[in-house]
Amino acid sequence: VAHAGPADPAENAGDHGGEAGSKVRRLHIAYVITQSDSIGGASIHVRDLASAMLEEGNQVEVLVGGNGPFCEMLREREVRVISVPHLVREINPLWDFRAYKEIKGILEKLRPDIVHAHSSKAGVLGRYAAFNLGIPSLFTAHGFSFTEGIHPVKRQFYKWVERAAAKKGNGIIAVSEYDRQLAIREKVCSPSQIVTIHNGIPDIPPKLRADPARQPPRLVMVARFDKQKNHKLLLDALAELRELDWHLELIGDGPLKKEMEAHANLLGLKERVSFPGLCNDVAARLAKCQLFLLISNWEGLPLTIIEAMRAGLPVVCSDVGGCRELVEDGNNGWLLPKQNKKEKLSFFLANSINNPLIRILFGNRSRKIFENQLKITVMLNKTRSCYSKLINI
């Protein structure tokens, strides 16, 4: 993939759409992603990308570990799903080798034009399998495993793995310029091997737009309860604001969910915080909220923030990964410093809760940034361009 600088949302936004798009050669694309049992940003990205490519007349399959709810989401959009039984998130040399053999066997039968891998484990195994079959491959990094916030020993290991895998693939797509620069700085690949394409998502009807002015404000965070996120810090910060009128909704599932429920009870916030679990109506829930939150230890380019901006919500998030490429501090939200200080977070939250006019202003700016930069058509055009360069069409 030849890099021509950071992805410019306005660049060639309509070059491949409509009539011009119909002249493009139909492709056979095999997407590979690790997990089907949980729905995250990478899953939504693959769902939208695969279904859009299918609608354009391309042949599409998605190879995925297991047969969880993600598979049903794809089937609802008539995307063909192929389960890879031994493809799991955790590192397991025996299972990983079996998963590699399964992926290679499937690809050998399919013989796609392109293998497009997503998520760390699938990114490695998918590129190796494609390389050994002589099939061109791309890898989209939805946040590298050697980013800030990861344990130093693990960071070194993941850097070594990614450097080796990069030599087997034909290019890397970073979903944020932060990740592109990180990969170059850590010598995972050369600048010519990696391009930035920001995530993009479909728009929503006006009825799903939020009203940031409503009082009392409803706060929402959509995130998996895992070590990557920092629900505890958020709860601790809100515990300092008991005298204010607010309600928090923590959407998602994960291994730390029960621990966070217990922590909310310990802080005396049981009646102020709800834990609805994994939801299929996130867009409708965002429409009922007035402030979006994402407190994290590390990130790529979070789709949940883009969904919130699409709804016209102000955002308070940690200044990690590519978050600052979405949230401009003091313009459409607040960026929490990497030290994740409780006092600073409480200040941002109090400011947002007490000032509906700020929420309106920031929310309107979020919506404008989405409209200008983050719609799915921009992402599709740039991805399609990468495919064309990969197979010289």
Side-chain angles (χ1 to χ4, degrees):
V1 179
H3 177 68
D8 177 3
E11 180 186 343
N12 301 326
D15 284 357
H16 302 283
E19 189 176 334
S22 64
K23 297 176 183 178
V24 175
R25 169 189 152 189
R26 302 306 179 206
L27 299 174
H28 182 183
I29 311 158
Y31 295 97
V32 191
I33 187 169
T34 307
Q35 288 183 286
S36 65
D37 58 342
S38 64
I39 308 298
S43 308
I44 300 300
H45 178 89
V46 170
R47 180 201 67 185
D48 291 344
L49 182 56
S51 56
M53 290 297 169
L54 183 66
E55 287 174 7
E56 291 181 359
N58 301 297
Q59 182 178 341
V60 171
E61 290 93 13
V62 176
L63 284 62
V64 61
N67 196 24
F70 175 56
C71 298
E72 190 56 37
M73 288 174 59
L74 291 169
R75 293 186 183 109
E76 287 175 0
R77 298 188 176 212
E78 300 184 349
V79 176
R80 185 186 177 197
V81 182
I82 302 176
S83 177
V84 183
H86 289 92
L87 183 55
V88 295
R89 184 178 183 180
E90 296 75 19
I91 294 176
N92 182 318
L94 180 58
W95 276 56
D96 294 345
F97 178 72
R98 289 175 175 172
Y100 162 76
K101 297 289 285 185
E102 289 166 350
I103 293 169
K104 185 181 176 186
I106 294 167
L107 294 177
E108 194 166 17
K109 291 179 181 178
L110 294 176
R111 301 304 307 188
D113 296 312
I114 296 168
V115 173
H116 191 170
H118 298 254
S119 67
S120 298
K121 177 73 75 70
V124 173
L125 300 181
R127 280 180 285 178
Y128 270 88
F131 176 82
N132 288 324
L133 291 169
I135 302 172
S137 70
L138 276 174
F139 169 55
T140 291
H142 298 271
F144 284 108
S145 297
F146 50 85
T147 192
E148 291 182 67
I150 306 292
H151 190 280
V153 175
K154 289 185 176 180
R155 287 183 70 183
Q156 289 300 322
F157 171 73
Y158 290 136
K159 275 190 281 188
W160 177 81
V161 171
E162 287 293 348
R163 284 174 189 148
K167 295 176 182 178
K168 303 300 180 183
N170 299 89
I172 299 172
I173 295 173
V175 297
S176 69
E177 181 60 14
Y178 170 89
D179 280 324
R180 179 178 175 269
Q181 294 297 336
L182 176 65
I184 294 169
R185 188 167 64 248
E186 299 294 348
K187 296 181 171 51
V188 166
C189 60
S190 67
S192 63
Q193 287 179 286
I194 185 167
V195 64
T196 300
I197 302 179
H198 288 116
N199 287 330
I201 58 176
D203 205 350
I204 49 173
K207 67 180 181 180
L208 290 178
R209 306 269 182 88
D211 178 9
R214 286 175 58 184
Q215 291 282 82
R218 190 172 184 87
L219 287 51
V220 62
M221 177 163 159
V222 183
R224 179 174 169 79
F225 288 86
D226 212 337
K227 58 187 176 181
Q228 178 185 358
K229 313 299 180 182
N230 201 338
H231 293 85
K232 183 178 183 299
L233 177 65
L234 174 59
L235 292 170
D236 290 342
L238 282 169
E240 302 294 318
L241 306 176
R242 288 186 182 87
E243 74 281 1
L244 302 181
D245 197 359
W246 53 266
H247 185 84
L248 172 65
E249 186 172 22
L250 295 176
I251 300 173
D253 211 339
L256 300 181
K257 182 169 180 281
K258 289 185 178 180
E259 181 181 327
M260 290 303 104
E261 288 175 338
H263 190 63
N265 293 344
L266 183 67
L267 294 171
L269 301 178
K270 184 175 182 180
E271 305 303 321
R272 312 284 298 272
V273 183
S274 56
F275 294 82
L278 196 63
C279 299
N280 294 322
D281 60 343
V282 171
R285 288 175 180 268
L286 290 177
K288 298 175 182 177
C289 295
Q290 284 66 56
L291 178 66
F292 183 83
L293 312 166
L294 189 65
I295 312 305
S296 312
N297 296 315
W298 69 85
E299 288 291 348
L301 192 83
L303 271 179
T304 53
I305 292 182
I306 300 177
E307 289 173 335
M309 293 171 65
R310 177 181 66 180
L313 285 171
V315 178
V316 175
C317 66
S318 300
D319 188 7
V320 292
C323 290
R324 65 169 43 245
E325 294 169 43
L326 302 174
V327 179
E328 300 171 13
D329 196 33
N331 183 56
N332 66 314
W334 305 105
L335 288 170
L336 182 66
K338 293 176 183 178
Q339 295 83 4
N340 279 340
K341 293 182 178 179
K342 183 179 72 172
E343 296 76 16
K344 193 77 170 178
L345 179 54
S346 292
F347 173 77
F348 288 156
L349 293 170
N351 245 8
S352 302
I353 292 168
N354 286 328
N355 293 287
L357 292 180
I358 286 181
R359 297 200 304 268
I360 294 170
L361 181 63
F362 284 8
N364 287 338
R365 289 171 177 169
S366 281
R367 176 66 198 180
K368 287 179 181 176
I369 293 170
F370 167 77
E371 290 176 348
N372 293 332
Q373 303 178 19
L374 299 167
K375 285 188 175 181
I376 192 170
T377 49
V378 178
M379 183 267 289
L380 287 175
N381 291 338
K382 292 179 180 294
T383 303
R384 202 183 292 111
S385 177
C386 287
Y387 291 168
S388 296
K389 291 176 183 176
L390 197 62
I391 57 176
N392 297 315
I393 61 170

